[in-house]
Amino acid sequence: MKHTHVFKAAFAAFSIAASIGSVSAQEIELRASHQWNTKDVRHEMVQIIADELAKADVGVHLTIFPSKSLYKPKEQWGPLTTGELDISAFPLAYAAKRHPEFDATLMPGLVKNHEHAARLNDSEFMDDIKAIIEDSGVIVISDAWLAGGFASRNNCVLNPEDVKGQVFRAAGKAFNRMLQGAGASIQSMPSSENYTALQQGVLDGANTSSGSFVSYRIYEQVKCLTAPGDHALWFMYEPILMSKASFDRLNDEQKAAVMAAGQAAEDWFAGKAADLDQTMVDTFSKAGVEVVTMSAEQAAAWKAIANETSYAAFAEKVDGGKELIAKALAVE
């Protein structure tokens, strides 16, 4: 069986209804943390999990701490591995300092569109990524890939030369290297800080997810948005994660309820992912921001730079990095 679906497959056949007559479950209080506001799609995914657990009535209650009110964005991984934090909506590349392989989940041009992302979920590439997650004491309860794009205070970003001389924020080393290869300077920060940095002129532009572009109201600070379209460069794996230590505290009925709730959130997101991009386009257009998309040729020009910078550095610096990228590129 593929490593990817170990936990989902283990509990998919478990019937909650069949255990109604079992001994009443011990009441368990779980805490979920994330960096987004309560209007963001990632918060909605966690809220679905909380609601589904409440409906299952198995003695598990989930309290959500949004807007980095419990942990700072990149500080969530450590507590997840120990059980200090139970659940998080977490951009996996944020933990790349501990596990450099995770940078592959935010690699320029590796995922082209939402259909491609769905196929990647069932690939050897994701089997390898999830094996590292699980070996670290964390499990995936909901898969989610978010598309994104570029936004600039100065001009539209279509060709690599369009960022030359500008200061950009990009999530992760791979995008940093590609942008630097195109002549941009880099300021590193969580997506939650993009608005203020653009407002103060610290940044000329940024790339992040469609959801973050909207929930952080970036349309108030930029002139042009490069939306994902059919040839996206920016896709990031942002799953809902659970501490294995927390999961192991649950009885079988409660474990099955958690996995069912996670699947419900994933299924909801799968129907919502493309809508996020359209919502971003509509929101930015309504705010008077010019919206463009890349052609296949423009995306290829960017990917050529990524191949010489991001992909090459990943292959050199990460053990097994070349093979990992090859597995992802093998998914058409």
Side-chain angles (χ1 to χ4, degrees):
M1 180 182 294
K2 284 188 174 184
H3 208 121
T4 275
H5 301 301
V6 168
F7 285 90
K8 290 182 181 178
F11 292 97
F14 187 93
S15 171
I16 296 175
S19 63
I20 290 176
S22 64
V23 177
S24 59
Q26 177 185 356
E27 193 72 26
I28 298 288
E29 295 288 332
L30 300 177
R31 298 188 303 167
S33 167
H34 64 73
Q35 72 193 66
W36 297 283
N37 63 41
T38 55
K39 295 181 180 180
D40 191 276
V41 65
R42 287 151 290 196
H43 173 81
E44 292 185 62
M45 287 184 73
V46 182
Q47 187 63 59
I48 287 170
I49 293 171
D51 293 344
E52 290 294 316
L53 287 173
K55 285 192 287 185
D57 194 23
V58 292
V60 179
H61 177 262
L62 179 62
T63 300
I64 306 170
F65 296 85
S67 303
K68 53 184 179 182
S69 57
L70 189 61
Y71 290 98
K72 293 181 180 179
K74 293 187 178 182
E75 292 178 356
Q76 296 171 104
W77 178 256
L80 276 172
T81 66
T82 63
E84 181 183 350
L85 174 61
D86 303 303
I87 289 174
S88 177
F90 186 75
L92 193 64
Y94 282 9
K97 282 190 175 181
R98 299 194 186 203
H99 303 284
E101 298 91 344
F102 291 168
D103 270 330
T105 64
L106 181 58
M107 189 67 67
L110 205 65
V111 183
K112 295 175 282 190
N113 50 52
H114 293 288
E115 292 78 12
H116 190 203
R119 293 193 296 274
L120 205 63
N121 280 336
D122 293 320
S123 68
E124 290 186 17
F125 169 75
M126 285 306 296
D127 288 345
D128 290 352
I129 293 295
K130 288 189 176 181
I132 298 169
I133 294 172
E134 292 168 17
D135 288 345
S136 302
V138 181
I139 62 172
V140 176
I141 60 175
S142 304
D143 285 315
W145 286 89
L146 277 81
F150 295 80
S152 173
R153 297 167 64 241
N154 302 323
N155 57 280
C156 293
V157 176
L158 289 169
N159 302 293
E161 56 265 29
D162 294 333
V163 302
K164 188 173 183 179
Q166 294 194 51
V167 180
F168 259 76
R169 178 268 181 187
K173 294 178 181 177
F175 269 87
N176 288 346
R177 290 188 176 107
M178 182 188 71
L179 284 165
Q180 286 174 319
S185 299
I186 300 298
Q187 283 281 353
S188 297
M189 63 189 71
S191 57
S192 55
E193 297 177 14
N194 283 346
Y195 185 97
T196 301
L198 287 163
Q199 184 182 49
Q200 295 176 347
V202 174
L203 293 178
D204 295 307
N207 59 3
T208 190
S209 69
S210 298
S212 291
F213 269 133
V214 174
S215 64
Y216 291 132
R217 308 190 321 279
I218 302 303
Y219 50 85
E220 296 179 357
Q221 298 299 331
V222 297
K223 291 182 179 179
C224 188
L225 167 74
T226 308
D230 294 328
H231 306 287
L233 286 176
W234 201 103
F235 260 86
M236 188 175 193
Y237 184 56
E238 304 189 28
I240 310 298
L241 302 177
M242 184 171 186
S243 169
K244 192 173 185 300
S246 302
F247 187 78
D248 288 344
R249 288 168 47 210
L250 308 179
N251 63 32
D252 285 347
E253 185 182 31
Q254 293 166 334
K255 289 176 180 177
V258 166
M259 297 311 296
Q263 188 64 55
E266 180 178 321
D267 292 345
W268 173 85
F269 176 78
K272 190 80 174 175
D275 292 344
L276 287 175
D277 301 339
Q278 189 59 51
T279 297
M280 175 180 66
V281 168
D282 293 344
T283 302
F284 275 66
S285 296
K286 185 178 179 180
V289 177
E290 184 178 358
V291 178
V292 298
T293 57
M294 288 185 187
S295 66
E297 292 75 18
Q298 288 165 333
W302 279 101
K303 196 168 179 180
I305 293 176
N307 190 55
E308 296 176 358
T309 55
S310 310
Y311 288 29
F314 188 83
E316 178 185 352
K317 297 177 182 295
V318 178
D319 289 341
K322 183 177 181 180
E323 293 75 15
L324 189 61
I325 293 297
K327 288 179 180 180
L329 292 174
V331 179
E332 293 295 333

